């Protein structure tokens, strides 16, 4: 299935992405499309080859799959929160949610992760390195 | 001809108080992250790169080299204490390190790992210093056709040796090259694949992608698997002095094992794609094969620890040989150093010795300095790392994620880079689930610009005539070797 996915991706790049997102030029051995087209064709061939060879994948536990998606969602939400409310307000929540999600329940470590660490990072960047944060 | 004034000026730069401070800080940080299973020096280097932007080039790169060297030794500590390698290459160290720790000699095992690591590291650094300049001279004789052929050969070797399947390795390499085509094309300067985002005119931000794929994807995997259980308690018992130190006689008794390990590690490190894990196991197997049964390999033999640590540490210096001589990274940490060089406007490759000779010799001095720092800091901080091993995973990875957010924001100047980081993390997570080697993708991404440029020059030189390749026998040989390696490695792996 992954091989067919790679081949389909190659086809999409070759017939849609490259024509829509590159400009045509009239000179030179190497046009903007040359290397991407060669890569797309190679991906199609390798994808078909991979599907034909049926190279097995080590299956991941379903629990880890869903939890991985959840972590990515938390991180993306955290990014939105940092952009909306600023680092100093959003980062402690992100850290706390992640630690609780990972199963940490000890108050001392939750306090370190949710308060001390974001404050330390903020102080290092803003006060010591003199750079700004959202 | 070697200009001694440049060499001396470089060494002078390396031994300034500022450089010494940052080298020591890098080694300290590297040992600490190496001691925490799951983080490792590669993730630490990726996160630290944006913070080196404010530093001088030599200081910033020396800091990263210090992290890498410290991390390679640091990975041995949890391998010895709790049988959980802090880095993949320390897995072999656990074979004899943990049994020796269970016999009540954890400090003895850790110190043997430290001394062997510094010995192997110093050996490969001396080889690097000796051969990279002459190799760079040879590389300068190569034209664009030869350089392009060498890059194709390097890609096939890396794709074939990293990961479980050469087909997947080649797919990862091609995806990396495709990602490198985002932005302005090098031949005509027309924008490609920017999807209406002007921030992509300069291409995908390399630092954001590296951190996303190397650090954030690992954080996602570790947090997903975390259960909140505390790590087992670690006891550093008092014990007799002989159980806590390595005598000179014990160190000298392992000299042949360490030299063999250092040679194996250096040879393997000079070849892109093989890596320190393979070097460690090969050295261990070689030492075990020639040792008498009374040595007790697998039951806490000091020579077992010496063999693995000397080999995996020797890989690091040798990894820089292809990077400095021809601009091709031999490992992911070398690829990250490319990013650090580029941040400071320096293009790695054979011209580096001519245009940045003082920097290169300063780097060599800093590497030797880092070995000394590794020895001293490892000696005094051993008990501290034993505590660090027990730090809760949830705290470590939540903190690392915040550092990734901040580092990418600071280096890319906005939240767009952080968005790219998260997208890259999702892509890497999916690649790892499906068995595609992320390392190959990253190396191809970092080299993609150069790859297309040399391809363009190759086509100009050949003037559209494939038969003109016969006038470039070195390039023709490399292309043939690429084909042979694909077939050979493909048959071995499938």
């Amino acid at each position: 299935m992954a091989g067919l996915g790679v081949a389909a991706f190659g086809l999409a790049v070759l017939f849609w992405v490259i024509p829509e997102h590159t400009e045509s030029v009239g000179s030179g051995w190497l046009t903007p499309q040359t290397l991407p087209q060669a890569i797309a064709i190679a991906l199609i061939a390798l994808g078909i080859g991979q599907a034909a060879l049926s190279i097995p994948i080590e299956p991941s536990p379903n629990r880890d799959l869903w939890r991985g998606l959840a972590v990515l969602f938390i991180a993306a939400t955290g990014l939105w929160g940092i952009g909306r409310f600023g680092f100093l307000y959003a980062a402690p929540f992100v850290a706390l949610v992640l630690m609780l999600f990972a199963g940490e329940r000890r108050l001392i470590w939750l306090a370190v992760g949710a308060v001390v660490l974001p404050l330390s990072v903020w102080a290092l960047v803003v006060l010591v390195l003199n750079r700004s944060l959202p | 001809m070697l200009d001694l004034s440049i060499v001396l000026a470089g060494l002078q730069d390396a031994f300034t108080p500022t450089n010494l401070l940052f080298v020591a800080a890098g080694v300290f940080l590297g040992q600490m992250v190496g001691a925490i299973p799951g983080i490792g020096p590669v993730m630490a280097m990726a996160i630290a790169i944006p913070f080196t932007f404010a530093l001088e080039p030599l200081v910033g790169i020396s800091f990263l080299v210090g992290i890498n060297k410290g991390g390679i030794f640091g990975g041995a500590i949890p391998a010895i204490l709790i049988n959980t390698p802090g880095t993949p290459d320390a897995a072999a160290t656990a074979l004899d390190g943990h049994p020796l720790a269970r016999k009540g000699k954890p400090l003895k095992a850790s110190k043997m790992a430290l001394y062997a690591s510094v010995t192997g590291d110093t050996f490969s650094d001396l080889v690097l210093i000796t051969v990279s300049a002459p190799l760079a001279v040879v590389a300068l004789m190569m034209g664009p056709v030869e350089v392009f052929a060498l890059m194709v050969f390097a890609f096939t070797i890396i794709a074939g040796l990293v990961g479980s399947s050469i087909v997947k390795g080649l797919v990862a390499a091609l995806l990396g090259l495709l990602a490198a085509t985002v932005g302005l094309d090098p031949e005509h300067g027309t924008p490609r694949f920017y999807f209406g985002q002007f921030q992509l005119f300069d291409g995908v931000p390399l630092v954001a992608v590296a951190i996303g794929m190397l650090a954030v994807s690992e954080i996602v995997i570790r947090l997903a698997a975390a259960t909140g259980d505390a790590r087992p308690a670690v006891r550093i018992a008092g014990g007799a002095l002989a159980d806590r130190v390595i005598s000179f006689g014990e160190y000298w008794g392992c000299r042949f094992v360490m030299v063999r390990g250092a040679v194996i590690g250096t040879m393997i490190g000079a070849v892109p794609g093989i890596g320190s894990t393979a070097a460690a196991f090969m050295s261990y197997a070689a030492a075990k094969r020639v040792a008498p049964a009374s040595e007790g390999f697998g039951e806490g033999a000091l020579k077992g620890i010496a063999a693995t640590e000397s080999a995996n540490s020797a890989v690091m210096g040798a990894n820089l040989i292809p990077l400095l001589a021809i601009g091709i990274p031999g490992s992911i940490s070398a690829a990250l150093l490319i990013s650090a060089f580029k941040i400071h406007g320096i293009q790695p490759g054979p011209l580096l010795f001519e245009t940045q000779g003082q920097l290169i010799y300063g780097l060599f001095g800093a590497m030797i300095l880092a070995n000394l720092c590794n020895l001293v800091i490892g000696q005094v901080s051993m008990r501290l790392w034993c505590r660090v091993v027990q730090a809760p995973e949830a705290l470590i990875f939540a903190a690392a994620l915040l550092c990734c957010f901040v580092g990418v924001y600071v280096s890319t100047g906005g939240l767009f880079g952080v968005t790219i980081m998260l997208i890259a993390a999702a892509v890497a997570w999916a690649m790892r689930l499906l068995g595609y080697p992320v390392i190959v993708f990253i190396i191809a991404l970092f080299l993609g610009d150069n790859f297309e440029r040399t391809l363009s020059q190759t086509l100009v030189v050949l003037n559209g005539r494939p038969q003109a390749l016969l006038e470039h026998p070195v390039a023709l040989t490399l292309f043939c070797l690429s084909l042979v390696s694909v077939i050979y490695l493909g048959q071995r792996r499938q």
Side-chain angles (χ1 to χ4, degrees), chain A residues 2-3 6 9 13 16-18 21-25 27-36 38-40 42-43 46-47 49-50 53 55-58 60 63-69 71-72 75-76 78-79 82-84 87 91-92 94-95 98-106 109 112-114 117-118 121 124-125 129 131-134, chain B residues 50-51 53-54 164-168 170-172 174-175 177-178 181 185-188 190-196 216 219-221 223-231 390-395 397-399 401-403 405-406 409-411 415 418-419 422 425-426 429 433-436 448 451-453 455-456 459-460 462-465 494:
Chain A
V6 168
F9 176 75
V13 168
W16 176 67
V17 177
I18 292 174
H21 296 281
T22 56
E23 294 181 12
S24 298
V25 295
S27 62
W29 285 109
L30 207 64
T31 67
Q33 294 85 7
T34 307
L35 185 60
I39 291 171
L43 281 173
L46 284 170
Q50 186 185 333
L53 287 169
I55 298 166
I57 302 168
E58 193 73 32
S60 272
R63 172 185 178 273
D64 284 358
L65 270 171
W66 289 112
R67 286 178 64 85
L69 283 169
V71 172
L72 282 169
L79 171 62
I82 288 172
R84 180 80 169 78
F87 179 85
V94 175
L98 283 173
M99 291 179 70
L100 289 170
F101 180 83
E104 185 57 59
R105 296 291 182 267
R106 291 168 286 183
W109 292 120
V112 169
L117 275 167
V121 169
L124 172 68
V125 174
L129 296 177
R131 311 292 286 269
S132 64
L133 285 175
Chain B
F51 296 99
F53 187 74
S164 57
S165 154
I166 190 169
V167 172
K168 290 186 174 182
L170 289 172
V171 167
L174 288 169
L175 290 174
L177 286 175
L178 188 64
T181 59
D185 98 83
E187 179 92 348
H188 305 278
T190 60
R192 275 186 308 201
F193 311 129
Y194 68 101
F195 300 101
V216 180
I219 291 169
V220 167
I221 289 170
L223 283 173
T227 56
D229 295 336
R231 289 199 219 276
Q390 295 178 263
E393 272 195 340
L395 174 69
F397 290 113
L401 185 64
L402 286 184
C403 289
F405 270 61
V406 167
Y409 179 85
V410 165
S411 71
L415 289 174
V418 185
T419 308
L422 287 183
W429 180 66
L433 286 176
L434 295 170
Y436 292 94
F451 183 85
E452 190 168 12
R453 200 170 294 117
L455 172 60
S456 170
L459 291 172
V460 168
L462 296 181
N463 204 19
R465 298 177 302 124
Q494 242 71 268

Side-chain angles (χ1 to χ4, degrees), chain B residues 122-431:
Chain B
T122 306
F123 178 88
S124 77
D125 288 349
L126 292 174
V127 171
L128 166 70
I129 293 167
T130 311
V131 308
S132 53
L135 272 179
V137 171
V138 171
L140 281 172
M141 296 176 195
M142 293 167 49
V145 185
E146 288 75 21
V147 171
F148 178 72
L150 186 62
M151 292 176 81
V152 170
F153 179 59
F155 279 135
T156 58
I157 291 291
I158 294 170
L161 291 176
V162 177
S164 57
S165 154
I166 190 169
V167 172
K168 290 186 174 182
L170 289 172
V171 167
L174 288 169
L175 290 174
L177 286 175
L178 188 64
T181 59
V182 172
L184 299 178
D185 98 83
E187 179 92 348
H188 305 278
T190 60
R192 275 186 308 201
F193 311 129
Y194 68 101
F195 300 101
Q197 302 292 329
F198 71 91
Q199 296 102 321
L200 290 177
F201 268 34
D202 281 333
V204 288
L206 293 180
V207 169
V209 173
I211 290 178
M213 297 192 100
L214 293 173
V216 180
S217 69
E218 180 67 26
I219 291 169
V220 167
I221 289 170
R222 297 300 291 236
L223 283 173
T227 56
D229 295 336
R231 289 199 219 276
V234 173
R235 291 187 180 279
I236 311 293
L241 183 64
D243 293 341
R244 287 184 279 123
V245 300
I246 295 289
S247 67
F248 180 77
E250 287 170 325
Y251 173 79
W252 191 245
C254 298
R255 64 192 185 282
F256 293 122
V257 170
M258 285 190 288
V259 168
R260 185 191 303 120
V263 169
I264 289 173
T266 302
M267 287 171 62
I268 285 179
V271 178
I274 303 183
S276 51
T277 309
F281 278 100
M282 282 176 65
S283 176
Y284 185 83
K288 190 177 178 182
R289 197 167 41 243
V290 303
S294 58
E295 292 280 6
F297 271 70
E299 297 165 14
L302 284 176
K303 287 183 179 176
I305 300 170
T308 58
E309 282 298 309
S310 60
N312 70 22
S313 296
V315 168
M316 196 254 148
N319 272 166
L320 297 188
I321 295 173
L323 175 67
L324 296 180
I326 51 180
I328 293 177
S331 65
I332 194 62
S333 51
L336 290 173
L337 286 179
I338 288 182
S339 181
F341 275 112
K342 284 185 172 180
I343 277 180
H344 295 285
I346 300 166
Q347 179 63 39
L351 282 174
L352 212 51
F353 283 89
E354 283 190 8
T355 59
Q356 298 282 347
Q358 189 169 333
L359 172 68
I360 294 303
Y361 287 101
L363 179 60
F364 290 161
M367 291 175 76
I368 300 296
L369 197 57
N371 293 337
L372 291 171
C373 289
N374 219 2
L375 184 64
V376 171
I377 292 172
Q379 282 272 67
V380 305
S381 309
M382 202 76 71
R383 290 175 192 273
L384 174 62
W385 304 144
C386 296
R387 295 264 183 263
V388 165
V389 162
Q390 295 178 263
E393 272 195 340
L395 174 69
I396 298 300
F397 290 113
L401 185 64
L402 286 184
C403 289
C404 291
F405 270 61
V406 167
V408 171
Y409 179 85
V410 165
S411 71
T412 60
L415 289 174
F416 180 78
V418 185
T419 308
I420 295 294
M421 179 191 79
L422 287 183
I423 293 171
V427 168
W429 180 66
M431 284 179 71

